[in-house]
Amino acid sequence: MVDIRQDSITSDESIHVLHIASGDLWAGAEVMLFTLAKTLHTELNTQVSIVLLNHGILEQRLSNCGISVHVLDESRLSSFQILQQLNKIIDGLKPDVIHTHRIKENIIGSIAALYNHRIPSLRTVHGAPEHRPPLHQLPKHLILFLNWLFGRFYQRYIIAVSPDLAKKLEHDFPKTRIRVIENGVDIDMLTHHISHSQSKNTDKTGYRIGIAGRLVPVKRVDLFIESAFYLKQHHPELSIHFHIYGDGPLSDNLQAQVRSQQAEDYIHFEGHCENITEHLGTLDALLMTSDHEGLPMVLLEAMCLKIPIIAHAVGGIPHLLDQGRCGVLVQNQTAKAFAEAIVKLINQPEQYEQLAQLALERVNHNYSASSTADAYLKAVSYTH
């Protein structure tokens, strides 16, 4: 195991951080990386370079901020070719620290860091594993083993985005090397949307309930749809429309689920939305029905926009919502429980307005991009 230095760089020293990430989607981990890199680059005068394995929105937004981006397209290059080109990039950039995100990047980033004069390396874990492959899929088990091996015996820090996730990681990694750095949001940018989003809803009829995220099993969008069915059946007098923002492998199955109940007139698939902030601002509530979560960026954004939140009490969500003081926590992960929380929102709007105000105050005090970047920079400095 590599020892961790207990002295940090001094205030007049600079540090160059190289992030390695997938960049295939514009989802929570990508939003987090963009916000962190932008804040380090523009506010803390930190040199940041990014290697992505896919072209896409993250690449465009980082480049627009003047951040150096290199794309090693995994659709054209083998893992060995990516590693070769990554070594050349590192040799040219000479970063002080390599920071990896997700499994593939953890492995190739650690190998490259070792190859290039044992550059210190760390990773961020954005959420708990979504599934384990069947026993007969040996190559996938080998990948998971290598991911664990480099995290346990080489990478200096394992950064968890929530205290709950940090506890889970203690089963696989030494507690002394796990650090909690919660996600942050660009509050100034998001609060510009508050008055605009509120005015948008003044002359509308009915209620708008939304969910935002990848259409993958862990997000339980099927349960969101079942909640809509339940409300339509038990409260037909209510005018409610349900909006699903995002795309993913379950899209066809979920649309078939909606068609099976002839619910296309009140359940709407909005697809991938590059500027989710504009859409969040039109909602009366955001639902999160996931099986588990780290620290969802979309919830932070909704809190900034004063959109009431109804979420499954799992992962980092209870801590984020201050154990229910800043949003509704649903203990029973059922369609009935989520539907009843929505009805309560409609019947007690004053209570939910208070929750939304407390949520905004909590983000302001605890989850700014600047405070997250500062905590991150301190952790990175100890590896240098």
Side-chain angles (χ1 to χ4, degrees):
M1 184 185 301
V2 179
D3 292 330
I4 302 173
R5 286 177 48 185
Q6 294 302 311
D7 55 311
S8 66
I9 60 174
T10 60
S11 58
D12 59 347
E13 288 181 296
S14 61
I15 191 167
H16 182 183
V17 182
L18 172 64
H19 287 270
I20 306 174
S22 172
D24 57 335
L25 302 170
W26 181 248
E30 289 73 27
V31 176
M32 170 268 174
L33 176 54
F34 170 73
T35 304
L36 174 62
K38 177 185 174 185
T39 307
L40 290 170
H41 176 70
T42 60
E43 296 184 21
L44 298 180
N45 197 32
T46 302
Q47 188 175 357
V48 180
S49 299
I50 311 285
V51 169
L52 300 178
L53 303 187
N54 296 274
H55 295 284
I57 298 171
L58 180 58
E59 173 197 7
Q60 298 166 9
R61 297 199 177 191
L62 289 167
S63 297
N64 290 342
C65 291
I67 296 172
S68 173
V69 182
H70 306 262
V71 178
L72 303 178
D73 191 345
E74 64 180 351
S75 67
R76 297 189 305 104
L77 302 173
S78 68
S79 295
F80 181 72
Q81 290 172 320
I82 290 173
L83 186 56
Q84 281 184 314
Q85 294 196 26
L86 178 59
N87 283 328
K88 292 179 181 178
I89 291 171
I90 293 173
D91 188 55
L93 293 176
K94 295 180 172 53
D96 299 301
V97 178
I98 293 176
H99 187 153
T100 61
H101 304 261
R102 296 205 175 110
I103 293 175
K104 183 174 182 178
E105 301 91 286
N106 294 340
I107 295 170
I108 63 172
S110 296
I111 294 172
L114 278 166
Y115 178 81
N116 288 273
H117 312 293
R118 298 177 65 82
I119 297 173
S121 171
L122 66 155
R123 72 175 62 175
T124 289
V125 180
H126 297 271
E130 295 184 7
H131 64 275
R132 292 285 180 180
L135 290 175
H136 67 274
Q137 294 183 353
L138 295 180
K140 292 185 178 180
H141 282 280
L142 176 60
I143 290 171
L144 291 177
F145 172 74
L146 290 174
N147 180 58
W148 169 82
L149 186 71
F150 284 116
R152 186 170 184 86
F153 297 106
Y154 175 65
Q155 291 189 296
R156 303 290 183 94
Y157 285 137
I158 311 294
I159 295 177
V161 298
S162 72
D164 174 82
L165 184 56
K167 284 288 185 185
K168 288 181 170 64
L169 292 173
E170 290 177 13
H171 296 295
D172 293 318
F173 306 107
K175 183 177 181 180
T176 55
R177 303 231 311 279
I178 298 172
R179 296 289 183 272
V180 176
I181 302 180
E182 297 177 295
N183 295 338
V185 289
D186 188 336
I187 295 171
D188 290 338
M189 181 193 73
L190 287 168
T191 50
H192 285 313
H193 293 275
I194 291 177
S195 58
H196 176 57
S197 64
Q198 288 176 337
S199 65
K200 267 187 170 182
N201 287 331
T202 55
D203 56 356
K204 70 177 180 62
T205 57
Y207 297 88
R208 292 169 57 90
I209 310 297
I211 189 171
R214 295 172 296 138
L215 304 187
V216 293
V218 69
K219 297 296 183 180
R220 294 304 308 275
V221 180
D222 61 314
L223 184 56
F224 175 84
I225 293 171
E226 289 174 12
S227 302
F229 294 162
Y230 184 95
L231 272 170
K232 190 69 173 179
Q233 181 180 3
H234 291 83
H235 296 276
E237 76 282 1
L238 296 176
S239 175
I240 307 177
H241 284 260
F242 297 82
H243 299 266
I244 299 170
Y245 300 99
D247 202 354
L250 293 184
S251 179
D252 290 344
N253 290 342
L254 294 169
Q255 293 191 50
Q257 182 185 2
V258 171
R259 288 194 300 270
S260 71
Q261 298 292 321
Q262 298 180 331
E264 298 96 324
D265 60 330
Y266 64 93
I267 301 177
H268 311 281
F269 288 85
E270 308 293 355
H272 173 73
C273 302
E274 290 190 17
N275 192 351
I276 189 62
T277 302
E278 296 292 341
H279 299 280
L280 289 177
T282 69
L283 298 178
D284 293 288
L286 179 72
L287 260 64
M288 182 150 286
T289 50
S290 305
D291 286 334
H292 61 76
E293 287 285 349
L295 189 71
M297 290 294 295
V298 70
L299 288 195
L300 286 170
E301 293 174 355
M303 291 168 76
C304 267
L305 295 170
K306 298 176 68 175
I307 305 303
I309 294 165
I310 301 171
H312 184 206
V314 69
I317 294 176
H319 175 73
L320 174 60
L321 296 181
D322 200 13
Q323 308 305 321
R325 295 181 182 88
C326 302
V328 176
L329 293 174
V330 176
Q331 302 294 334
N332 297 321
Q333 194 187 17
T334 64
K336 179 181 179 182
F338 283 105
E340 289 177 346
I342 293 171
V343 173
K344 186 177 179 182
L345 178 150
I346 292 171
N347 291 334
Q348 300 179 9
E350 298 83 4
Q351 177 186 349
Y352 280 79
E353 288 176 9
Q354 183 181 15
L355 289 175
Q357 179 60 40
L358 291 172
L360 174 60
E361 293 172 5
R362 181 162 173 77
V363 172
N364 275 317
H365 292 151
N366 299 284
Y367 297 98
S368 72
S370 298
S371 61
T372 294
D374 184 63
Y376 168 81
L377 191 57
K378 289 175 181 177
V380 168
S381 299
Y382 280 117
T383 71
H384 177 44

